[in-house]
Amino acid sequence: MKGLMVQGTASSVGKSLVCTAICRLLANEGKQVAPFKSQNMSSLSIQTKDALEISVSQALQARAAKTSYLPEMNPILLKPNGNMETDIIVLGEKVNKMNGMLYREQFFEEGQKLIKTSLKKLSDSYEYLILEGAGSPVEMNLRDRELVNMRVADLADVPVLLVANIEYGGVFASIVGTLALLPVSQRARVKGIIINKFQGDITLFQDGIDFLENYTGVMVLGTVPYFPNELEEEDGVEKSTNAASDEQIEEWAAHFRKHVKWEKIVDILEVGK
């Protein structure tokens, strides 16, 4: 399949919005594109036209891609319901309720099969898939049975863009640390870095870009300034992402494109390099 995966150095770095921008920019170029997030934990969901539940983030990304949202775009939705238990929603329908340990122990193999099937169905219908990770790909206590980051990139065999948030500092350590903790084969999937939520004179950051590229060997594809009309970023905030207007989506996509090496991102998408 042709696609790429957007992963982050942490939660709330802007993965969802980067995927949203990429989906809209490709759709504006006439490409058939679909979003995908294998597993999302959120109390917020929205129904497809067939009354099936998916996360609001993937619904927004589908709107950005100018396509209907489908349950395969978010095959596993985990909805916390209190008492350390979570509703397990598979392809839009509730199938079980369990705590985190049981889910980790019992759902791993089934989850992988479900992800493979969903990826296959989407790739049969769309030219490009834009995959979104969750949290960080180097949560060392979770990585052996994770279903959301590098294991999904391996299953889909797609390159990865790594997003970091500079707003609160620590961006160099978060990028270098993330890459250092990845196994060599998975680190090789990372084809570009995007730094998000920059504030100030961007010309003063060139030394930082040079350091990152020289130290990691990975190209910095853009430094995106903070966007004041920012759309919903994570599923956990109690606002309706689906209420974002098409104009807001266009504004965000244009802002993103202005500050990244868009043609290089397209090249990575096309050839995986």
Side-chain angles (χ1 to χ4, degrees):
M1 74 177 63
K2 288 185 178 180
L4 59 79
M5 188 169 195
V6 176
Q7 297 185 16
T9 57
S11 296
S12 300
V13 298
K15 297 182 291 290
S16 295
L17 291 181
V18 169
C19 290
T20 299
I22 293 173
C23 283
R24 175 49 58 97
L25 292 171
L26 290 172
N28 284 348
E29 293 179 2
K31 306 290 197 304
Q32 291 182 309
V33 56
F36 178 84
K37 187 167 184 175
S38 56
Q39 173 184 289
N40 212 336
M41 177 170 281
S42 174
S43 59
L44 301 178
S45 64
I46 195 166
Q47 291 191 338
T48 70
K49 63 182 180 181
D50 296 319
L52 300 171
E53 288 186 83
I54 69 168
S55 73
V56 291
S57 290
Q58 276 59 66
L60 174 65
Q61 291 162 6
R63 288 181 55 217
K66 303 181 181 180
T67 190
S68 299
Y69 25 94
L70 305 171
E72 287 81 10
M73 294 173 179
N74 176 209
I76 305 169
L77 176 61
L78 308 178
K79 297 187 77 172
N81 59 17
N83 300 317
M84 302 292 289
E85 288 189 326
T86 297
D87 290 335
I88 313 299
I89 297 171
V90 171
L91 293 176
E93 297 183 296
K94 181 179 174 181
V95 298
N96 207 339
K97 179 167 64 176
M98 60 181 69
N99 64 35
M101 184 59 71
L102 280 176
Y103 176 79
R104 179 176 167 81
E105 292 176 350
Q106 298 180 10
F107 198 75
F108 180 67
E109 297 299 333
E110 182 180 346
Q112 288 190 92
K113 294 176 184 177
L114 179 62
I115 291 164
K116 290 178 184 178
T117 301
S118 297
L119 284 169
K120 176 65 165 60
K121 182 171 181 177
L122 291 175
S123 63
D124 286 345
S125 302
Y126 294 90
E127 295 176 81
Y128 303 93
L129 299 185
I130 304 302
L131 289 68
E132 181 187 345
S136 160
V138 289
E139 302 294 353
M140 308 309 288
N141 59 315
L142 301 175
R143 199 169 67 183
D144 64 321
R145 296 177 78 81
E146 63 94 2
L147 291 170
V148 290
N149 286 305
M150 280 298 181
R151 180 168 279 104
V152 178
D154 288 342
L155 288 173
D157 192 19
V158 293
V160 171
L161 304 185
L162 183 65
V163 180
N165 179 1
I166 197 172
E167 186 175 19
Y168 302 118
V171 73
F172 298 102
S174 67
I175 292 169
V176 171
T178 298
L179 293 172
L181 289 171
L182 285 170
V184 173
S185 62
Q186 293 180 342
R187 188 184 188 281
R189 288 198 179 277
V190 182
K191 303 301 182 183
I193 296 164
I194 295 174
I195 297 166
N196 195 25
K197 299 187 180 181
F198 185 87
Q199 298 190 58
D201 185 348
I202 204 166
T203 62
L204 299 178
F205 191 62
Q206 187 58 48
D207 287 348
I209 293 173
D210 294 342
F211 167 80
L212 286 170
E213 292 185 335
N214 291 332
Y215 192 90
T216 68
V218 180
M219 180 184 296
V220 176
L221 295 173
T223 302
V224 182
Y226 179 80
F227 186 58
N229 192 25
E230 200 160 16
L231 306 173
E232 187 70 62
E233 185 171 348
E234 293 287 343
D235 283 340
V237 182
E238 292 185 3
K239 292 193 296 183
S240 176
T241 303
N242 206 51
S245 70
D246 197 67
E247 182 180 9
Q248 286 177 299
I249 296 172
E250 284 287 352
E251 288 175 354
W252 161 242
H255 175 80
F256 176 82
R257 178 168 185 162
K258 181 179 178 181
H259 297 285
V260 299
K261 298 174 181 176
W262 175 244
E263 296 307 321
K264 180 60 180 175
I265 292 175
V266 172
D267 186 49
I268 292 170
L269 182 65
E270 291 283 358
V271 301
K273 297 180 180 179

